[in-house]
Amino acid sequence: MPMSDNAVIAERLAVVCERIEKAAQKSGRQSDDIVVVAVSKGFPPEVVEEAHKNGLYCFGENKVQEAKQKIPLCSGDIEWHMVGHLQSNKTRDAVRLFAMVHSVDSLELLEKLNNEAEKAGKVMPICLQVNVSGERSKFGMKPEEVESIIKAADSYHNVVVRGLMTIPPYSKDPEMSRPFFRKLADLRNLCQGVTGRSDLGLSMGMSEDFEIAIEEGANWIRIGRAIFGDRPKKVPVIDGETL
Ligand SMILES: *Cc1c(COP(=O)(O)O)cnc(C)c1O
Protein backbone atom coordinates (compact mmCIF):
# COMPACT_ATOMS: atom_id res chain seq x y z
CA MET A 1 0.00 0.00 0.00
CA PRO A 2 1.42 3.41 -0.88
CA MET A 3 2.21 5.64 2.03
CA SER A 4 0.26 8.84 2.44
CA ASP A 5 2.06 12.14 1.91
CA ASN A 6 1.90 12.62 5.62
CA ALA A 7 3.75 9.39 6.34
CA VAL A 8 6.38 10.31 3.75
CA ILE A 9 6.92 13.78 5.23
CA ALA A 10 7.03 12.33 8.75
CA GLU A 11 9.68 9.83 7.66
CA ARG A 12 11.78 12.40 5.85
CA LEU A 13 11.54 14.70 8.82
CA ALA A 14 12.67 11.94 11.17
CA VAL A 15 15.74 11.44 8.96
CA VAL A 16 16.43 15.19 8.91
CA CYS A 17 16.13 15.40 12.72
CA GLU A 18 18.53 12.49 13.11
CA ARG A 19 21.03 14.15 10.76
CA ILE A 20 20.74 17.41 12.74
CA GLU A 21 21.20 15.60 16.05
CA LYS A 22 24.31 13.78 14.80
CA ALA A 23 25.88 16.92 13.36
CA ALA A 24 25.15 18.83 16.57
CA GLN A 25 26.69 16.10 18.70
CA LYS A 26 29.74 15.87 16.48
CA SER A 27 30.35 19.58 16.88
CA GLY A 28 29.44 19.86 20.56
CA ARG A 29 26.35 21.96 19.90
CA GLN A 30 22.77 21.80 21.14
CA SER A 31 20.27 20.89 18.42
CA ASP A 32 17.80 23.37 19.88
CA ASP A 33 20.18 26.20 18.90
CA ILE A 34 19.38 25.28 15.31
CA VAL A 35 16.12 26.36 13.68
CA VAL A 36 14.81 24.40 10.71
CA VAL A 37 13.37 26.73 8.08
CA ALA A 38 11.28 24.36 5.95
CA VAL A 39 11.50 25.79 2.44
CA SER A 40 8.08 25.09 0.94
CA LYS A 41 8.46 26.94 -2.37
CA GLY A 42 6.73 25.07 -5.15
CA PHE A 43 4.49 23.14 -2.74
CA PRO A 44 0.83 23.83 -2.06
CA PRO A 45 -0.70 24.76 1.31
CA GLU A 46 -1.83 21.16 2.00
CA VAL A 47 1.78 20.03 2.01
CA VAL A 48 2.75 22.88 4.34
CA GLU A 49 -0.07 21.86 6.67
CA GLU A 50 1.14 18.24 6.74
CA ALA A 51 4.63 19.36 7.65
CA HIS A 52 3.18 21.70 10.26
CA LYS A 53 1.23 18.84 11.83
CA ASN A 54 4.51 16.99 12.09
CA GLY A 55 5.92 19.70 14.31
CA LEU A 56 7.51 22.21 11.92
CA TYR A 57 6.57 25.79 12.72
CA CYS A 58 8.93 27.85 10.60
CA PHE A 59 8.58 27.86 6.80
CA GLY A 60 10.55 29.60 4.06
CA GLU A 61 9.49 30.97 0.70
CA ASN A 62 11.59 32.57 -2.02
CA LYS A 63 8.97 34.56 -3.93
CA VAL A 64 6.68 37.21 -2.49
CA GLN A 65 3.97 36.48 -5.05
CA GLU A 66 3.81 32.79 -4.22
CA ALA A 67 3.90 33.50 -0.48
CA LYS A 68 1.13 36.05 -0.76
CA GLN A 69 -1.20 33.43 -2.19
CA LYS A 70 -0.08 30.54 0.01
CA ILE A 71 0.22 32.08 3.47
CA PRO A 72 -3.48 32.99 3.95
CA LEU A 73 -4.35 29.36 3.19
CA CYS A 74 -2.04 27.97 5.88
CA SER A 75 -2.24 27.85 9.69
CA GLY A 76 -2.03 31.25 11.31
CA ASP A 77 0.58 30.13 13.82
CA ILE A 78 3.23 29.40 11.19
CA GLU A 79 6.25 31.68 11.16
CA TRP A 80 7.15 32.60 7.57
CA HIS A 81 10.66 33.51 6.48
CA MET A 82 11.66 35.10 3.18
CA VAL A 83 14.77 33.33 1.93
CA GLY A 84 14.90 34.35 -1.73
CA HIS A 85 16.01 37.48 -3.53
CA LEU A 86 13.73 40.36 -2.60
CA GLN A 87 12.98 43.06 -5.14
CA SER A 88 12.66 46.50 -3.62
CA ASN A 89 9.15 46.95 -5.04
CA LYS A 90 8.05 43.91 -2.98
CA THR A 91 9.22 45.19 0.41
CA ARG A 92 5.77 46.43 1.37
CA ASP A 93 4.23 42.98 0.98
CA ALA A 94 7.29 41.35 2.50
CA VAL A 95 7.04 43.17 5.84
CA ARG A 96 3.41 42.17 6.13
CA LEU A 97 3.90 38.52 5.17
CA PHE A 98 7.15 37.55 6.82
CA ALA A 99 8.53 37.28 10.33
CA MET A 100 12.09 37.46 9.02
CA VAL A 101 13.96 38.23 5.80
CA HIS A 102 17.17 36.21 5.27
CA SER A 103 18.16 37.80 1.99
CA VAL A 104 18.94 41.49 2.46
CA ASP A 105 21.73 42.11 -0.02
CA SER A 106 22.18 45.88 -0.04
CA LEU A 107 21.85 48.94 2.16
CA GLU A 108 19.21 50.28 -0.26
CA LEU A 109 17.04 47.21 0.32
CA LEU A 110 17.61 47.44 4.07
CA GLU A 111 16.47 51.06 4.00
CA LYS A 112 13.34 50.22 1.98
CA LEU A 113 12.46 47.40 4.37
CA ASN A 114 13.02 49.74 7.29
CA ASN A 115 10.66 52.32 5.84
CA GLU A 116 7.94 49.78 5.12
CA ALA A 117 8.38 48.16 8.54
CA GLU A 118 8.02 51.57 10.14
CA LYS A 119 4.76 52.15 8.25
CA ALA A 120 3.53 48.73 9.37
CA GLY A 121 4.55 49.42 12.97
CA LYS A 122 6.98 46.50 13.01
CA VAL A 123 10.60 45.76 13.66
CA MET A 124 11.77 43.32 11.00
CA PRO A 125 14.52 40.82 11.86
CA ILE A 126 16.86 40.34 8.90
CA CYS A 127 20.02 38.59 7.80
CA LEU A 128 22.53 40.17 5.48
CA GLN A 129 23.07 37.89 2.49
CA VAL A 130 26.72 37.63 1.54
CA ASN A 131 28.08 36.30 -1.73
CA VAL A 132 31.11 34.62 -0.17
CA SER A 133 32.02 32.67 -3.31
CA GLY A 134 32.00 35.72 -5.56
CA GLU A 135 30.01 33.80 -8.21
CA ARG A 136 28.49 36.29 -10.60
CA SER A 137 25.19 34.40 -10.72
CA LYS A 138 24.66 34.71 -6.96
CA PHE A 139 22.86 37.45 -5.09
CA GLY A 140 24.41 38.88 -1.97
CA MET A 141 26.67 41.72 -0.92
CA LYS A 142 30.42 41.47 -1.24
CA PRO A 143 32.20 40.29 1.91
CA GLU A 144 34.07 43.64 2.00
CA GLU A 145 30.76 45.51 2.21
CA VAL A 146 29.37 43.70 5.23
CA GLU A 147 31.22 45.63 7.91
CA SER A 148 30.09 49.06 6.75
CA ILE A 149 26.52 47.91 6.09
CA ILE A 150 26.12 46.31 9.49
CA LYS A 151 27.42 49.48 11.10
CA ALA A 152 25.03 51.60 9.03
CA ALA A 153 22.12 49.28 9.90
CA ASP A 154 22.39 50.45 13.49
CA SER A 155 20.69 53.73 12.66
CA TYR A 156 17.61 52.07 11.11
CA HIS A 157 15.26 51.33 13.97
CA ASN A 158 12.66 49.20 12.20
CA VAL A 159 15.03 46.49 11.07
CA VAL A 160 17.32 44.48 13.30
CA VAL A 161 20.21 42.48 11.89
CA ARG A 162 20.07 38.99 13.39
CA GLY A 163 22.90 37.50 11.38
CA LEU A 164 24.47 36.65 8.03
CA MET A 165 23.23 34.34 5.31
CA THR A 166 24.89 32.66 2.35
CA ILE A 167 24.30 30.16 -0.45
CA PRO A 168 27.51 28.37 -1.49
CA PRO A 169 28.08 27.26 -5.09
CA TYR A 170 26.21 24.08 -5.90
CA SER A 171 28.25 20.91 -5.59
CA LYS A 172 27.40 17.22 -5.31
CA ASP A 173 29.96 16.97 -2.52
CA PRO A 174 28.72 18.71 0.65
CA GLU A 175 32.31 19.10 1.90
CA MET A 176 32.80 21.65 -0.88
CA SER A 177 30.48 24.01 1.01
CA ARG A 178 32.63 24.03 4.15
CA PRO A 179 35.10 26.79 3.18
CA PHE A 180 32.19 29.09 2.28
CA PHE A 181 30.38 28.40 5.54
CA ARG A 182 33.61 28.98 7.43
CA LYS A 183 34.15 32.25 5.61
CA LEU A 184 30.67 33.39 6.61
CA ALA A 185 31.35 32.42 10.23
CA ASP A 186 34.63 34.40 10.16
CA LEU A 187 32.75 37.37 8.77
CA ARG A 188 30.14 37.06 11.51
CA ASN A 189 32.90 37.09 14.11
CA LEU A 190 34.33 40.21 12.53
CA CYS A 191 30.88 41.84 12.61
CA GLN A 192 30.52 40.97 16.28
CA GLY A 193 33.87 42.62 16.89
CA VAL A 194 32.94 45.86 15.18
CA THR A 195 29.40 46.10 16.56
CA GLY A 196 30.14 44.86 20.08
CA ARG A 197 27.35 42.33 19.71
CA SER A 198 27.65 38.67 20.61
CA ASP A 199 24.31 37.41 19.31
CA LEU A 200 24.70 37.40 15.52
CA GLY A 201 23.67 34.12 13.91
CA LEU A 202 24.29 32.26 10.67
CA SER A 203 21.69 31.23 8.08
CA MET A 204 23.39 28.53 6.01
CA GLY A 205 22.98 24.94 4.91
CA MET A 206 20.39 23.32 2.64
CA SER A 207 19.21 19.72 2.03
CA GLU A 208 22.61 18.32 1.08
CA ASP A 209 25.06 20.27 3.17
CA PHE A 210 23.27 21.23 6.39
CA GLU A 211 25.39 18.91 8.55
CA ILE A 212 28.51 20.76 7.38
CA ALA A 213 26.72 24.06 8.04
CA ILE A 214 25.86 22.93 11.58
CA GLU A 215 29.48 21.94 12.18
CA GLU A 216 30.48 25.43 11.05
CA GLY A 217 27.97 27.10 13.37
CA ALA A 218 24.65 27.47 11.50
CA ASN A 219 21.67 28.75 13.52
CA TRP A 220 19.09 28.58 10.73
CA ILE A 221 19.22 25.77 8.21
CA ARG A 222 17.00 26.20 5.16
CA ILE A 223 15.76 22.79 4.06
CA GLY A 224 13.44 22.07 1.15
CA ARG A 225 13.85 18.77 -0.68
CA ALA A 226 15.04 16.70 2.29
CA ILE A 227 11.65 17.38 3.90
CA PHE A 228 9.24 17.76 1.00
CA GLY A 229 10.90 15.66 -1.71
CA ASP A 230 11.70 16.93 -5.18
CA ARG A 231 9.83 20.07 -6.09
CA PRO A 232 7.04 19.48 -8.61
CA LYS A 233 8.13 20.43 -12.13
CA LYS A 234 4.74 21.92 -12.79
CA VAL A 235 4.23 24.43 -10.05
CA PRO A 236 0.94 24.11 -8.16
CA VAL A 237 -2.00 26.25 -8.99
CA ILE A 238 -3.69 28.17 -6.20
CA ASP A 239 -6.87 30.15 -6.66
CA GLY A 240 -6.74 29.67 -10.41
CA GLU A 241 -3.35 31.36 -10.73
CA THR A 242 -0.19 29.57 -11.72
CA LEU A 243 2.57 30.40 -9.28
C1 LIG B 1 15.19 26.52 -2.29
C2 LIG B 1 16.06 27.16 -1.29
C3 LIG B 1 16.53 26.43 -0.18
C4 LIG B 1 16.25 24.97 0.03
O1 LIG B 1 16.89 24.19 -0.93
P1 LIG B 1 16.84 22.58 -0.89
O2 LIG B 1 18.01 22.21 -1.73
O3 LIG B 1 15.54 22.19 -1.45
O4 LIG B 1 17.00 22.16 0.53
C5 LIG B 1 17.31 27.11 0.74
N1 LIG B 1 17.61 28.41 0.60
C6 LIG B 1 17.16 29.14 -0.43
C7 LIG B 1 17.52 30.58 -0.53
C8 LIG B 1 16.38 28.54 -1.41
O5 LIG B 1 15.94 29.28 -2.46
Side-chain angles (χ1 to χ4, degrees), residues 63-130:
K63 289 197 176 77
V64 170
Q65 199 52 38
E66 182 177 342
K68 203 174 169 177
Q69 297 184 32
K70 194 182 295 182
I71 291 173
L73 303 175
C74 297
S75 299
D77 59 345
I78 289 176
E79 192 182 299
W80 291 93
H81 290 209
M82 175 60 173
V83 299
H85 178 64
L86 181 60
Q87 291 166 287
S88 55
N89 62 354
K90 301 273 168 64
T91 49
R92 184 170 184 277
D93 283 333
V95 297
R96 284 162 177 80
L97 293 165
F98 296 108
M100 179 160 166
V101 177
H102 289 237
S103 44
V104 175
D105 57 5
S106 69
L107 190 58
E108 291 71 37
L109 183 61
L110 185 148
E111 185 169 357
K112 286 228 163 72
L113 270 175
N114 181 74
N115 295 346
E116 292 298 342
E118 187 176 3
K119 285 185 214 160
K122 285 174 76 165
V123 176
M124 177 60 86
I126 62 166
C127 285
L128 301 178
Q129 181 175 355
V130 190

Side-chain angles (χ1 to χ4, degrees), residues 100-188:
M100 179 160 166
V101 177
H102 289 237
S103 44
V104 175
D105 57 5
S106 69
L107 190 58
E108 291 71 37
L109 183 61
L110 185 148
E111 185 169 357
K112 286 228 163 72
L113 270 175
N114 181 74
N115 295 346
E116 292 298 342
E118 187 176 3
K119 285 185 214 160
K122 285 174 76 165
V123 176
M124 177 60 86
I126 62 166
C127 285
L128 301 178
Q129 181 175 355
V130 190
N131 183 356
V132 281
S133 66
E135 282 179 295
R136 289 178 64 181
S137 60
K138 285 268 163 36
F139 290 108
M141 58 188 68
K142 294 191 181 112
E144 313 85 84
E145 294 177 299
V146 177
E147 183 177 337
S148 70
I149 292 180
I150 203 163
K151 280 183 186 158
D154 227 21
S155 52
Y156 295 93
H157 300 296
N158 292 83
V159 292
V160 57
V161 180
R162 296 282 313 279
L164 305 181
M165 179 272 222
T166 200
I167 307 172
Y170 179 78
S171 164
K172 280 215 168 89
D173 177 6
E175 266 304 325
M176 298 297 283
S177 298
R178 192 186 297 278
F180 302 104
F181 293 154
R182 191 161 288 177
K183 225 168 151 183
L184 194 73
D186 288 346
L187 218 70
R188 184 270 313 271

Side-chain angles (χ1 to χ4, degrees), residues 5-19 224-230:
D5 275 0
N6 189 25
V8 174
I9 285 182
E11 278 193 6
R12 287 202 201 97
L13 197 54
V15 172
V16 166
C17 289
E18 219 179 280
R19 287 172 61 188
R225 288 164 301 133
I227 295 170
F228 298 112
D230 285 335

Side-chain angles (χ1 to χ4, degrees), residues 208-224:
E208 268 118 32
D209 58 12
F210 68 78
E211 288 105 325
I212 309 289
I214 290 170
E215 288 172 30
E216 296 300 325
N219 304 96
W220 297 273
I221 51 178
R222 310 178 312 268
I223 305 178

